[in-house]
Amino acid sequence: MTLQLGQTAPDFVQDSTQGQIHFHSWLGTAWGILFSHPKDFTPVCTTELGAVARLAPEWAKRDTKVLGLSVDGLKDHAAWEADIAETQGGVVNFPILADADKKVSTLYGMIHPDTDPKVTVRSVFIIDPNKKIRLTLTYPPSAGRNFDEILRVLDSLQLTDQQKVTTPANWLPGQDVIIAPSISDEQAKTLFPQGWKALKPYLRLVKLS
């Protein structure tokens, strides 16, 4: 069964490069990003894990924990981390699940048999502090992910959880946002005293102070 937005992210216990992970306990009150890569010692995955490692300060600013997954074992993970450090300019600073029994990848629907029954596709799950799934993305094995986009969506989710707004296409932090349709103009006067620009009654742009 496909996991859907708003559902509770399934809990699990699995070994990782930083010890055994009891997922919900490990997340605690943080946001989480769980992402799978098809196989160790592959070129696209090597660049991806390097990119995630370099973004460590950005994850920390957003109180977000990242967790990788591969169906290879811990011994392969350890050797591969050395390759990543050598070629990508930094060490892997987050745990990678060793999902050799495919327990987690099956639980999260990360194996698409018509693509390859032996390895995972490039799945991404953003999970909030209430353990609810807030975003799902699935990339083919051949295409590396854009982690700037994943950061952008994380920023949008965190902002819109705090304020009665939504974010438009291609939004970046600091740009105008949209007043949520559920908010009347009278309510908006209290929430957004700085005023807003109404392109249509249902499309009200506001700059947050």
Side-chain angles (χ1 to χ4, degrees):
M1 183 177 179
T2 302
L3 294 174
Q4 297 182 350
L5 301 185
Q7 292 182 334
T8 298
D11 199 10
F12 57 81
V13 178
Q14 186 62 289
D15 290 333
S16 85
T17 52
Q18 296 184 11
Q20 191 176 75
I21 298 284
H22 189 150
F23 188 49
H24 283 190
S25 297
W26 176 79
L27 276 179
T29 59
W31 287 73
I33 293 177
L34 172 63
F35 69 103
S36 58
H37 51 271
K39 193 170 179 58
D40 293 1
F41 304 106
T42 52
V44 175
C45 302
T46 300
T47 64
E48 286 191 321
L49 269 68
V52 173
R54 289 192 296 274
L55 287 170
E58 300 300 324
W59 308 126
K61 281 197 302 189
R62 295 161 176 82
D63 190 25
T64 299
K65 295 181 176 181
V66 292
L67 180 61
L69 176 147
S70 164
V71 296
D72 291 315
L74 286 175
K75 185 176 179 181
D76 283 339
H77 283 1
W80 187 35
E81 284 187 349
D83 286 359
I84 295 168
E86 178 186 348
T87 64
Q88 303 303 305
V91 299
V92 177
N93 46 26
F94 56 89
I96 306 173
L97 295 174
D99 197 40
D101 59 4
K102 299 183 176 65
K103 177 174 64 180
V104 179
S105 50
T106 299
L107 192 61
Y108 277 78
M110 294 171 169
I111 296 176
H112 294 195
D114 289 343
T115 297
D116 190 323
K118 302 184 294 296
V119 300
T120 58
V121 292
R122 298 185 193 282
S123 296
V124 183
F125 296 86
I126 295 183
I127 299 159
D128 71 18
N130 294 316
K131 313 299 184 292
K132 300 297 183 182
I133 296 172
R134 301 294 298 278
L135 171 137
T136 62
L137 285 171
T138 303
Y139 287 71
S142 59
R145 283 164 281 214
N146 184 334
F147 285 95
D148 287 339
E149 166 63 4
I150 293 168
L151 274 175
R152 190 190 76 88
V153 178
L154 181 59
D155 283 334
S156 174
L157 289 169
Q158 293 186 346
L159 173 65
T160 58
D161 276 4
Q162 296 166 2
Q163 304 208 42
K164 302 294 186 180
V165 297
T166 58
T167 56
N170 301 321
W171 172 85
L172 293 171
Q175 295 179 347
D176 289 358
V177 295
I178 299 170
I179 299 173
S182 60
I183 301 300
S184 69
D185 283 351
E186 285 303 310
Q187 292 172 307
K189 289 176 184 177
T190 300
L191 293 171
F192 309 105
Q194 68 271 39
W196 61 87
K197 180 180 180 181
L199 302 181
K200 291 289 183 181
Y202 59 86
L203 180 53
R204 297 166 294 174
L205 298 176
V206 65
K207 182 172 289 294
L208 298 178
S209 54

